Amino acid sequence: MKRTIAVILIFTIMLTAVNAVTQSELDSSLRTFAEQVADFVPRSSAGTNFWADAHIGNLFPLNGLPHLGAGLSVSGSLIPTAFMKTFSQAFSDPVNTWESFPLPAMSFDARVGGIILPFDIGAHVMVLDDFEDELLGVSVTIDTCLEAGADLRFAILQEGVVLPALSIGVGYTYSKGDFSFTSKSITDVSNILSSSQASVTTYIEYETTIYTATAQLSKKILLLTPFVGARAIAQDGTYRYGGGYQNIEGNRNNLSLSTITKTFSFDDLQDSLSKLKYNVFAGVGLDFLIIQTTVGASYDFTDESWSGSVSLHVKI
């Protein structure tokens, strides 16, 4: 559903434009849009599975029993306004620009820690298949939407009376999406088709991998566990996009199919560091018996966007 809202609202903006758009301009805007959204969506959703505790293992594992936890997270990310401007720049007439809007998601995650070595291991997954919906005059079909990942957090400091818990961690997330949408709106595309009445169909496919390095501090105070952290993100991705117009007589004009590939490599340290993305996060967990409710938020410096989540975990 998160990808659905993103593409629908942005694409609706594009359809409000009149005249002056050429196919090459629209194709260029669609290329930029595909890269921005396909790059941002999996990264923003993958970073909202917050655990209040910096680690759930022990610095000295044999001194305590293993810990387990699992639960659900409901999250949302604010799509940057700059993405909407990608389309408005393709038209000579003014196009309304959305300030921002939330991109919702829901995932399942689990974590185990304190077994032999001083680290904990977490995993999360989100799946959406054969989804169809219509919103704001746009029909959306999602064939596949998958996100799965895992991470390891190493205990650096064991929480004490004064000291907080500190961990550093690394993570990996794989994300894949394949969806299309068709507008039934009447759009002025007379310079592309010999008709001003047309339906527009387009689709975006993406397959991306996300690598993260994280540092987190937490401190339990009675029933509350506030936490803060920072994250560095590297990302590889392949994005494909295409589409077409069909007028009321059934004549078609297809946009060219394009593939964008972005690769991250550690071979060149300077080049690698320039491609890293960064965010910071903070929040608080509330413990009640074996239940922990966590509220957290993060800020992405690359896209200047906010994300947040509320999670419910069972911990033993």
Side-chain angles (χ1 to χ4, degrees):
M1 192 63 184
K2 56 185 181 179
R3 285 122 177 120
T4 301
I5 293 178
V7 296
I8 288 176
L9 291 178
I10 298 175
F11 196 58
T12 300
I13 297 168
M14 183 181 70
L15 297 180
T16 62
V18 293
N19 293 324
V21 57
T22 65
Q23 184 165 333
S24 61
E25 289 173 327
L26 184 58
D27 199 22
S28 176
S29 293
L30 187 58
R31 175 188 176 93
T32 303
F33 162 72
E35 182 175 355
Q36 288 177 325
V37 173
D39 185 76
F40 172 79
V41 167
R43 185 174 77 252
S44 64
S45 59
T48 54
N49 291 296
F50 299 118
W51 282 77
D53 305 282
H55 56 83
I56 64 172
N58 298 295
L59 188 59
F60 304 101
L62 298 180
N63 193 34
L65 296 174
H67 297 277
L68 305 173
L72 290 172
S73 296
V74 178
S75 62
S77 302
L78 292 177
I79 302 299
T81 305
F83 290 9
M84 326 314 175
K85 293 180 180 178
T86 297
F87 285 107
S88 65
Q89 292 170 354
F91 305 102
S92 61
D93 293 319
V95 178
N96 293 330
T97 301
W98 293 79
E99 291 298 325
S100 62
F101 58 88
L103 187 67
M106 185 171 67
S107 62
F108 172 82
D109 56 321
R111 187 169 294 277
V112 57
I115 301 177
I116 304 176
L117 297 176
F119 62 78
D120 61 18
I121 303 173
H124 67 274
V125 63
M126 187 275 293
V127 179
L128 182 62
D129 288 320
D130 298 327
F131 175 84
E132 294 186 18
D133 200 0
E134 183 170 334
L135 180 64
L136 301 176
V138 179
S139 299
V140 180
T141 301
I142 299 179
D143 295 325
T144 303
C145 181
L146 167 68
E147 186 174 287
D151 69 287
L152 282 77
R153 302 188 304 182
F154 295 86
I156 303 300
L157 284 178
Q158 187 74 40
E159 183 176 350
V161 177
V162 177
L163 288 177
L166 170 64
S167 69
I168 58 173
V170 292
Y172 169 88
T173 298
Y174 169 82
S175 187
K176 179 179 181 181
D178 181 354
F179 50 90
S180 63
F181 46 100
T182 301
S183 171
K184 303 300 182 182
S185 302
I186 296 176
T187 308
D188 193 333
V189 289
S190 55
N191 58 331
I192 298 179
L193 292 177
S194 59
S195 172
S196 62
Q197 298 183 16
S199 62
V200 183
T201 299
T202 190
Y203 68 88
I204 296 174
E205 301 175 5
Y206 66 85
E207 186 172 11
T208 184
T209 52
I210 301 167
Y211 311 94
T212 59
T214 304
Q216 181 176 341
L217 280 166
S218 68
K219 183 71 174 76
K220 188 174 180 62
I221 305 172
L222 299 178
L223 299 179
L224 299 178
T225 305
F227 64 92
V228 295
R231 184 182 292 114
I233 305 165
Q235 198 165 350
D236 287 342
T238 299
Y239 320 129
R240 289 169 57 85
Y241 69 90
Y245 295 89
Q246 179 171 310
N247 64 16
I248 56 176
E249 289 82 20
N251 299 321
R252 293 190 59 82
N253 192 352
N254 289 325
L255 295 171
S256 60
L257 178 67
S258 298
T259 299
I260 308 164
T261 301
K262 298 177 65 177
T263 302
F264 183 90
S265 173
F266 288 99
D267 294 338
D268 187 330
L269 180 60
Q270 183 175 357
D271 181 60
S272 299
L273 292 176
S274 68
K275 293 180 180 179
L276 288 176
K277 305 173 178 69
Y278 302 92
N279 67 34
V280 292
F281 58 90
V284 62
L286 172 63
D287 291 298
F288 180 72
L289 300 178
I290 63 171
I291 304 295
Q292 184 180 74
T293 302
T294 303
V295 178
S298 66
Y299 178 77
D300 188 291
F301 292 99
T302 302
D303 296 306
E304 299 181 346
S305 63
W306 289 91
S307 299
S309 73
V310 177
S311 61
L312 188 67
H313 293 116
V314 176
K315 294 170 48 182
I316 57 174

